[in-house]
Amino acid sequence: MGLEIRDVRAICTAPEGVNLVAVKVETNEPGLYGVGCATFTHRYLAVVTAIEEYLRPFLIGKDPANIEDIWQSAMGMSYWRNGPVLNNALSGVDMALWDIKGKLAGMPLYQLFGGKCRPGIPCYTHAEGADAEQTLERVEALRERGYRRIRVQVGGYGGKNPNLHRPEHPFPGGYFDPKAYMKNVLELMEKLRVTYGDSLEFCHDVHERLAPIDALNFAKALEPYHLLFLEDILQPEQTAWFHPIRQQCATPLAMGELFNNPHEWTSIVSARLIDYIRVHVSQIGGITPARKLVAFCDAYGVRTAWHGPIDMTPIGHAVNAHLDISSPNFGVQEWADSFSGLYPTLNGPLMREMFPGMPEYRDGFLYLNENPGIGVMEALDMSKRQTWGYKSQIFALDWSYFGWLMLASLPTEPPSGRDKQGGCYAEIQSKSAVSGEAPV
Ligand code: MG
């Protein structure tokens, strides 16, 4: 009897307060299994259903060696495809199959990808403060910790203006002042360059909040500050605006954490309109499509900067690192360092206990272990650590001028009568609000 898949399980957990979804694919060989990341924090129950109700019966009995065939078949079997729920579910399986492949070979995954292109993985983390001075304090703390590349923000992702002129009876929601936002960021960049000269590299995340013409003006205004990159300056529906932005300034551009479908990146990469592709690997379906994306971008001189946020298991972070260390066109890796005070999740003791083997940060670089496969083990009692009780309130803030929609996840108690099973619930506030204060 040959090797075959015996079972597929979705594992939901929140060891440090953020909903995570992992997948475990078990084989008929005792002790041989693979794990993958399928985390879609804001809709994790939908992902679990896709894994357990649709992928599990499809996969049981199949040969786990045939990764490409399984990926293609699973992607096509629902007919409608490429959405965040199904892509994350498939990613969990795909990563687990690659994990099994590496364990069978007795090699870490990056060896199967062609070996190392570099000894360590340059990474950046996130510094933010309520104002520029506080952000500078956090930048200095991160510099002392070894970071030479830092993403800088003011007031989170910025743009709140308590003095915003309001109409009567404002709708509830969050409100964005693009002019105040751009002014604050430009002042921060000026202070950073005066303080550090060119000794540090800085990036900044717009988080798709600007109207296209403001995005164009903002990218031009930032040009003198020589950013590592400006991130997600446009909404994914507005990427045609990259043409005028590219024609008018040389600020490096990174894009893609909301992308699901290859159609969203093929045109902007092949037209060389961005410098870094920064998709969320589980969001596009896992390692199999990510490796194709690496090769595609390499042909056009576009580098990788995979999304590496808190809402990703250590398995997903390790997969990023395997791709980083083996890709010729790797650029930089986002790393959610809990030292910054903003990311309690990634390096917490319970997270490390549950996912032993995650990449290690040292002095500005990430390093992988040499375990076979992805190298992140399933902790012995992970199933007992299921913490469905994490209460995630998801609300939509309307940054009203441009229809930009921000999702925020708050660890808060649900309203009475909601969320009887202790899972996520969603409360979508008015999208058509025109003024008022954010409820955060
Ligand atoms: Mg981002």
Side-chain angles (χ1 to χ4, degrees), residues 265-285:
W265 61 71
T266 49
S267 62
I268 61 172
V269 169
S270 61
R272 300 174 173 86
L273 297 179
I274 60 172
D275 299 276
Y276 296 89
I277 188 79
R278 55 176 279 102
V279 303
H280 189 108
V281 168
S282 68
Q283 181 84 355
I284 67 167

Side-chain angles (χ1 to χ4, degrees), residues 151 157 205 207 231-232 257 278 307:
R151 186 171 69 186
Y157 288 93
D205 189 1
H207 226 270
E231 174 180 341
D232 287 342
E257 73 186 52
R278 55 176 279 102
H307 193 218

Side-chain angles (χ1 to χ4, degrees), residues 57-362:
F58 171 74
L59 290 165
I60 288 176
K62 285 191 165 51
D63 184 348
N66 299 329
I67 301 174
E68 181 71 35
D69 181 64
I70 287 175
W71 193 93
Q72 297 291 343
S73 304
M75 175 59 79
M77 74 181 191
S78 59
Y79 188 48
W80 282 279
R81 52 204 175 198
N82 278 317
V85 172
L86 297 182
N87 282 6
N88 269 287
L90 180 52
S91 165
V93 170
D94 180 75
M95 290 181 187
L97 296 180
W98 278 101
D99 194 26
I100 291 170
K101 182 80 79 182
K103 289 172 178 172
L104 285 169
M107 293 180 183
L109 207 57
Y110 72 82
Q111 292 289 8
L112 303 187
F113 298 165
K116 289 184 179 179
C117 288
R118 51 195 57 81
I121 301 163
C123 63
Y124 68 88
T125 196
H126 183 108
E128 72 166 68
D131 52 31
E133 284 67 32
Q134 195 174 47
T135 300
L136 254 73
E137 288 173 15
R138 292 181 174 169
V139 165
E140 179 58 23
L142 292 170
R143 190 191 67 78
E144 290 174 1
R145 187 166 159 75
Y147 284 99
R148 295 296 177 267
R149 302 159 189 85
I150 301 171
R151 186 171 69 186
V152 289
Q153 311 286 142
V154 183
Y157 288 93
K160 285 183 189 173
N161 180 0
N163 301 315
L164 200 65
H165 188 55
R166 308 178 189 186
E168 297 175 354
H169 310 301
F171 295 153
Y175 298 88
F176 180 61
D177 182 338
K179 296 293 185 288
Y181 162 71
M182 291 186 283
K183 178 173 176 286
N184 290 341
V185 174
L186 288 164
E187 288 173 354
L188 171 65
M189 290 301 174
E190 179 66 25
K191 286 185 167 69
L192 287 166
R193 284 302 176 216
V194 167
T195 304
Y196 291 104
D198 290 327
S199 66
L200 296 178
E201 294 199 82
F202 299 109
C203 43
H204 174 73
D205 189 1
V206 177
H207 226 270
E208 311 98 9
R209 292 184 182 188
L210 289 174
I213 191 62
D214 284 339
L216 169 56
N217 281 309
F218 192 44
K220 289 171 67 174
L222 284 168
E223 193 172 19
Y225 300 106
H226 304 129
L227 295 188
L228 173 60
F229 58 66
L230 185 58
E231 174 180 341
D232 287 342
I233 194 170
L234 296 167
Q235 296 180 29
E237 297 85 1
Q238 298 297 340
T239 52
W241 281 85
F242 276 124
H243 289 277
I245 293 172
R246 198 64 153 179
Q247 286 163 358
Q248 295 189 42
C249 76
T251 294
L253 301 170
M255 181 74 188
E257 73 186 52
L258 294 183
F259 287 170
N260 295 291
N261 188 314
H263 285 300
E264 293 174 299
W265 61 71
T266 49
S267 62
I268 61 172
V269 169
S270 61
R272 300 174 173 86
L273 297 179
I274 60 172
D275 299 276
Y276 296 89
I277 188 79
R278 55 176 279 102
V279 303
H280 189 108
V281 168
S282 68
Q283 181 84 355
I284 67 167
I287 294 168
T288 296
R291 293 190 70 231
K292 295 172 185 176
L293 180 54
V294 168
F296 180 71
C297 288
D298 190 29
Y300 295 101
V302 173
R303 288 173 281 176
T304 65
W306 308 117
H307 193 218
I310 58 172
D311 46 338
M312 175 186 285
T313 65
I315 303 163
H317 286 284
V319 164
N320 281 347
H322 282 286
L323 292 165
D324 296 337
I325 209 160
S326 60
S327 298
N329 53 326
F330 163 73
V332 69
Q333 180 58 55
E334 178 182 12
W335 180 245
D337 192 328
S338 57
F339 177 81
S340 69
L342 301 169
Y343 303 120
T345 64
L346 191 56
N347 297 313
L350 188 52
M351 184 75 86
R352 289 180 172 276
E353 180 186 340
M354 290 184 59
F355 296 99
M358 65 190 295
E360 297 282 347
Y361 169 83
R362 292 193 295 277

